[in-house]
Amino acid sequence: MLVHAAVYEGKAKRVRIFDDGLAEIEFKDDVTAGNGLKHAVFVGKGVLCCRMSELLLAYLQHSGTPTHFLRRSSLSTMTVRAVQIIPLEVVVRFEVAGSLEKRTGLPYRTPCVPPVYELYFKRDDLGDPLLNEHHVRLLNLATTDELRTIRELALSSATKLHALLQRAQLALIDLKFEIGRTDSSLLLADEISPDTCRLRDVVTGQVLDKDVFRRDLAELLPTYQEVLRRLEQVPELQSLDRSMSRSGKES
Ligand code: TMP
């Protein structure tokens, strides 16, 4: 019988670690912004983020990126490999927005060529500060080799997602990854959803991510439903989905 070794409760997810090297991530309906200062619950958000994460993590896994994803185990939970999360937010930016706009004074949506790569320390009490690689070494959060792998994982995954999302008429402005450590390797972990990236309609520039909540621009649930609708129309994701449901039925 599987025994819970630990349960971690985050702002938008609950993680149960089992004693067999697996973990289950439950996507909650909670949404927060501004380091938890703004909070709301939208019934159904967890299911939407779980489904979008499933599609995007499975896509990356299928394209050769090592991720923690194994399968979606219910509408709002995924089964993943248990990893030790490195306390870094790894951000890749294709266009200027958000904190980069504030830090540099560059106009919104200035192209970032090449993409900008950033690391933030996951420490709510410090306000998640920007770190450089020397700071990461000083804090002993990752080795020099791991830092190289993290950078390669983040930039290659972000580039693949940027191209994929373009086929869903979504411009990927920036996104945040988390990286997990197993005994032998580093894996892309956590979720990939409109909670953790900025998406704009490629034609109109309409905001299609958590910025609608951060900035009170539109209703969150219909926005996320629209992103999922577009993803589900991308042929590569449709065939991946078919093969996942076939192997789910067989197992
Ligand atoms: P930023 O412009 O606020 O630094 O955010 C960059 C990207 O990282 C954006 O897509 C939102 C995402 N992000 C998170 O997912 N979680 C966070 O805690 C922060 C600060 C940003």
Side-chain angles (χ1 to χ4, degrees):
M1 191 183 82
L2 291 183
V3 177
H4 283 165
V7 180
Y8 298 97
E9 181 94 30
K11 294 188 200 105
K13 285 176 298 269
R14 191 174 291 121
V15 181
R16 295 181 187 83
I17 314 275
F18 297 103
D19 61 0
D20 61 351
L22 299 183
E24 193 173 75
I25 300 182
E26 181 187 345
F27 289 72
K28 303 197 294 188
D29 288 334
D30 299 66
V31 57
T32 62
N35 205 359
L37 286 178
K38 189 169 176 182
H39 172 254
V41 175
F42 297 105
V43 175
K45 194 211 78 144
V47 170
L48 286 166
C49 286
C50 184
R51 172 72 176 141
M52 290 188 268
S53 284
E54 174 194 25
L55 289 172
L56 297 174
L57 286 168
Y59 176 75
L60 289 176
Q61 184 80 37
H62 188 73
S63 72
T65 300
T67 81
H68 71 156
F69 177 77
L70 293 171
R71 61 189 164 273
R72 185 158 59 91
S73 29
S74 80
L75 285 179
S76 60
T77 58
M78 321 191 289
T79 302
V80 299
R81 290 178 62 186
V83 292
Q84 179 206 17
I85 293 286
I86 298 176
L88 289 172
E89 297 195 334
V90 181
V91 170
V92 178
R93 301 178 186 268
F94 295 95
E95 298 179 39
V96 171
S99 68
L100 185 61
E101 198 181 337
K102 289 207 192 82
R103 193 175 315 113
T104 60
L106 286 167
Y108 173 61
R109 298 206 64 176
T110 303
C112 299
V113 185
V116 168
Y117 168 77
E118 296 171 342
L119 299 166
Y120 293 86
F121 193 11
K122 264 171 74 102
R123 275 281 299 265
D124 283 348
D125 57 330
L126 299 179
D128 295 343
L130 181 65
L131 297 181
N132 68 27
E133 296 194 345
H134 289 268
H135 300 140
V136 174
R137 293 293 306 121
L138 174 70
L139 289 159
N140 210 18
L141 300 179
T143 65
T144 306
D145 281 350
E146 284 179 331
L147 274 167
R148 190 177 320 112
T149 306
I150 292 169
R151 171 196 279 258
E152 283 166 9
L153 260 180
L155 286 169
S156 69
S157 309
T159 303
K160 287 179 203 173
L161 291 172
H162 186 268
L164 176 80
L165 291 164
Q166 195 71 27
R167 298 198 275 286
Q169 300 299 301
L170 295 166
L172 177 62
I173 306 293
D174 55 32
L175 79 171
K176 186 260 312 184
F177 293 118
E178 297 197 15
I179 306 292
R181 198 187 266 126
T182 68
D183 287 344
S184 55
S185 62
L186 295 179
L187 306 176
L188 205 74
D190 197 48
E191 67 172 306
I192 307 175
S193 78
D195 268 9
T196 60
C197 66
R198 286 198 171 89
L199 300 167
R200 303 291 181 262
D201 180 88
V202 288
V203 177
T204 64
Q206 183 190 352
V207 174
L208 293 167
D209 59 72
K210 197 166 93 172
D211 274 350
V212 296
F213 172 74
R214 290 188 190 96
R215 293 161 48 198
D216 293 316
L217 298 175
E219 299 255 7
L220 184 134
L221 278 183
T223 303
Y224 283 25
Q225 279 158 352
E226 172 61 13
V227 174
L228 176 58
R229 189 188 68 77
R230 292 186 189 198
L231 291 179
E232 287 180 335
Q233 285 178 353
V234 176
E236 288 114 303
L237 294 182
Q238 287 176 338
S239 63
L240 190 61
D241 206 25
R242 278 194 295 273
S243 73
M244 284 195 289
S245 52
R246 266 199 306 275
S247 61
K249 280 187 197 117
E250 281 157 18
S251 63

